[in-house]
Amino acid sequence: MAAEETIQLEIAGLQKKFGDDVILDGVDLTVRKGEVVVILGSSGCGKSTLLRCINGLEPIDGGSILIDGEAITPGAKNLTRLRQKIGMVFQSYDLFPHKNILDNVTLAPIKVQKRTKEDARTEAEQLLLRVGLWEKRKAYPRELSGGQKQRVAIVRALCVNPEIMLFDEVTAALDPEMVREVLDVMLELAQGGMTMLIVTHEMGFARAVADRIVFLDEGKILENLPAEEFFTHPRTQRAKDFLQTFEFNKQ
Amino acid sequence: MQASGINVLFLGRNFARLIEGLWVTMRISLLAVLLSIPLGILLGMFMTLRHPLAKAVSRVYLEFVRIMPQLVLLFIAYFGVTRAFGWNWSADFSAVLVFTLWGTAEMGDLVRGALQSIPKHQYDSAAALGMTKWQTFAHIILPQTLRRLLPPTINLTTRMIKTTSLVVLIGITEVLKVGKQIIDVNRFAYPTASLWVYGAVFILYFLACWPISLLARTLEKRWR
């Protein structure tokens, strides 16, 4: 899991507002190739917005986001090309309901990357096999459970061969018994050397998967530490309070 | 003699004339439907634009065409326009024009509703995969919209077929008018003619609309 030196993602002075509300206030973050960064913070701290800014789903109000040295700018011509370097999985398992699983995951490789059907299909089937859903390739999303849909969504993002994967609270809408199967897939990806940026509320998972924890509060990065250090010796009171909320002690 | 009343349908060319009348109805309504669907899709897309002018224009058009009874629109197109501008539109043309205007308005509103019912995260996930706006529309939004549109569009089509019976009032001899003529001619020989003729017209309308409903049900099943 050792990160290489190549910088994959570089965010500097990122500003984002919704009307008068400042959502992100001068965020600086560098992610190296192969690194797994988990973003923690209470609801409304700007975690999801940060991920949405990274692949240009939200216009930004200041600062810069560079992927492999190229700036992400919503509306710019190179955006669709840059987005192929970024895979994103959302909280709402948002597969395309009118397409079967195989068509869902091969749509972008065929239409966006102009790869041949056979080529796209071969890769898709291999990935589906890896997440244990090859048997479901002809099924439609409505026939799958939440956890299965979310695993398909991960495969769909992987099929464009991204260099970095963004996960936005992908287990938050799942029944508890389905969370595990999704997290296992992510853990395997992390071990395979994928660069990942994960927003989650699963503390145990965060600790297991992360190289580094970024703690976000009111749009600012308060802590940016190696995972173990964050969980054992958080520096700020806010982070201590945050971690406290996940602990239960018998009175 | 009640039982012999049915014979009125097969006197001379009566039945053939009823079928011809039905064809007049179907020709006008299907032509209007075929024009309304693509125009309505365009209007519906136009209506989802956030531009205030686009909103205002489509709003006015929609309300005007919907609030006005179709009969009034027919009269305006057939009689009013001739008087005002001296354009001599044929009754058929006026009918197709009016039903297309009406169908486009109704269809546009259906399309707008269907487009807006597609969840925002469908757009987001398509964008996140690197799809352009056009690719997203063609592969993700449009197919889902069409599926949602099918039942209300069929409903609109059958409504349009039925409403075409109004064209008799601008002098087009469609199925109802033919029926009326047959009844008038045979009033004394067949006192019960009206029951049989209107009964036949009812069945003809049913036969015209039923296959459309069947087709819709088949498509719905296949697309489910």
Side-chain angles (χ1 to χ4, degrees), chain B residues 16-28:
Chain B
R17 286 183 58 213
L18 279 175
I19 298 286
E20 283 163 21
L22 183 71
W23 170 239
V24 172
T25 301
M26 294 302 286
R27 200 186 53 205
I28 291 172

Side-chain angles (χ1 to χ4, degrees), chain A residues 52 83 95 98 111 142, chain B residues 122 124 127 135 139 224:
Chain A
R52 292 175 60 83
R83 272 177 175 157
L95 300 177
H98 59 297
K111 296 296 173 191
R142 62 174 179 277
Chain B
Q122 290 282 310
D124 281 350
Q135 286 171 332
H139 300 296
R224 203 176 50 87

Side-chain angles (χ1 to χ4, degrees), chain A residues 197-208:
Chain A
L197 218 58
I198 303 169
V199 169
T200 185
H201 287 293
E202 303 283 339
M203 286 306 134
F205 171 69
R207 199 164 177 169

Side-chain angles (χ1 to χ4, degrees), chain A:
Chain A
M1 269 204 277
E4 297 171 29
E5 286 310 295
T6 329
I7 291 175
Q8 194 104 66
L9 170 71
E10 193 169 17
I11 300 171
L14 178 60
Q15 292 276 342
K16 171 69 190 172
K17 293 176 200 155
F18 285 129
D20 287 334
D21 293 338
V22 178
I23 307 297
L24 296 172
D25 188 8
V27 169
D28 299 301
L29 179 63
T30 305
V31 179
R32 288 168 204 288
K33 196 167 161 51
E35 211 175 9
V36 177
V37 176
V38 170
I39 304 170
L40 298 178
S42 46
S43 299
C45 70
K47 310 176 297 264
S48 294
T49 308
L50 176 59
L51 289 196
R52 292 175 60 83
C53 287
I54 292 174
N55 73 354
L57 287 174
E58 298 285 346
I60 61 176
D61 297 297
S64 64
I65 300 168
L66 302 181
I67 292 280
D68 284 348
E70 278 189 274
I72 292 273
T73 321
K77 275 228 167 98
N78 62 358
L79 188 61
T80 58
R81 183 172 53 79
L82 286 181
R83 272 177 175 157
Q84 292 166 39
K85 298 187 178 189
I86 311 164
M88 182 153 180
V89 186
F90 300 84
Q91 176 180 336
S92 51
Y93 20 91
D94 43 7
L95 300 177
F96 305 131
H98 59 297
K99 293 185 178 293
N100 70 25
I101 300 311
L102 205 53
D103 290 341
N104 255 279
V105 300
T106 54
L107 181 69
I110 294 170
K111 296 296 173 191
V112 178
Q113 301 182 317
K114 313 287 178 204
R115 288 161 57 187
T116 64
K117 264 190 186 157
E118 295 70 44
D119 180 25
R121 191 161 283 212
T122 314
E123 189 189 354
E125 290 197 17
Q126 279 167 0
L127 284 167
L128 286 173
L129 204 60
R130 250 175 69 189
V131 302
L133 288 172
W134 184 78
E135 289 79 11
K136 299 281 184 190
R137 67 197 182 285
K138 298 282 184 203
Y140 281 83
R142 62 174 179 277
E143 301 167 74
L144 269 53
S145 72
Q148 292 173 328
K149 283 189 229 186
Q150 201 55 292
R151 281 184 281 159
V152 172
I154 294 173
V155 169
R156 184 176 63 181
L158 288 174
C159 274
V160 290
N161 298 315
E163 292 171 13
I164 179 167
M165 286 283 286
L166 313 177
F167 294 88
D168 186 9
E169 299 194 36
V170 292
T171 58
L174 295 177
D175 290 340
E177 63 265 38
M178 292 172 178
V179 168
R180 184 72 204 214
E181 63 191 51
V182 174
L183 295 183
D184 281 342
V185 168
M186 291 164 69
L187 208 55
E188 201 194 314
L189 264 182
Q191 282 155 1
M194 174 63 80
T195 314
M196 294 160 77
L197 218 58
I198 303 169
V199 169
T200 185
H201 287 293
E202 303 283 339
M203 286 306 134
F205 171 69
R207 199 164 177 169
V209 77
D211 297 319
R212 202 144 52 89
I213 300 285
V214 165
F215 181 69
L216 208 58
D217 190 55
E218 291 177 352
K220 289 191 173 78
I221 291 184
L222 290 194
E223 313 226 1
N224 185 348
L225 293 173
E228 227 17 67
E229 201 178 328
F230 175 80
F231 283 106
T232 50
H233 302 99
R235 307 257 163 95
T236 59
Q237 192 55 43
R238 272 301 287 130
K240 280 176 197 161
D241 293 345
F242 176 79
L243 286 173
Q244 279 278 301
T245 61
F246 293 92
E247 285 183 22
F248 295 92
N249 297 314
K250 243 183 182 168
Q251 296 294 313

Side-chain angles (χ1 to χ4, degrees), chain B residues 191-207:
Chain B
T192 57
S194 58
L195 175 68
W196 293 105
V197 171
Y198 286 138
V201 169
F202 163 79
I203 290 170
L204 286 179
Y205 266 113
F206 176 76
L207 290 179

